[in-house]
Amino acid sequence: MLTVKGYRLLVKAKEIERVSGGGIIISVEGTNQDRLEQTGNQIGTVVGVGHTCWKGSVDDTPWCEVGDDILYSKHAGRFVFDPVTDEKFLTINDDDVIAVIQKGTDNVT
């Protein structure tokens, strides 16, 4: 597993699905830009937090943690591959987190 450093977060981007007129789920894969054009939302799950995240904020209080689903900035980050597991992740800066999605609801905070 990758370990993120500094003020960055490691995010597992949510796979985006489209549903055809007949109800068939079509998985959409591609670059971050492809996903932006298709949905307008960038949602993922935080899987790692760097040791200096939120150090520049007023009270250094983290606004998200590992396991949180988040909404992140439109042009945030860079995709990286874990050389051990070959999984694809996104690295983003701590200030690219726009909102935390509350579990069990459809609300974004």
Side-chain angles (χ1 to χ4, degrees), residues 25-87:
I25 297 174
I26 304 167
S27 179
V28 178
E29 292 189 24
T31 65
N32 197 27
Q33 187 61 37
D34 292 339
R35 290 185 297 147
L36 291 171
E37 292 169 2
Q38 292 160 0
T39 67
N41 291 324
Q42 298 74 46
I43 297 174
T45 302
V46 177
V47 295
V49 177
H51 66 283
T52 61
C53 280
W54 305 289
K55 294 298 182 195
S57 64
V58 175
D59 60 0
D60 296 339
T61 303
W63 48 83
C64 70
E65 58 188 29
V66 172
D68 283 348
D69 289 333
I70 60 168
L71 181 67
Y72 52 89
S73 297
K74 183 175 181 178
H75 299 289
R78 174 186 175 135
F79 281 104
V80 295
F81 285 91
D82 185 329
V84 175
T85 65
D86 203 34
E87 287 183 277

Side-chain angles (χ1 to χ4, degrees), residues 79-100:
F79 281 104
V80 295
F81 285 91
D82 185 329
V84 175
T85 65
D86 203 34
E87 287 183 277
K88 183 168 66 171
F89 295 96
L90 181 68
T91 59
I92 65 171
N93 296 339
D94 58 2
D95 60 352
D96 286 325
V97 176
I98 297 172
V100 176

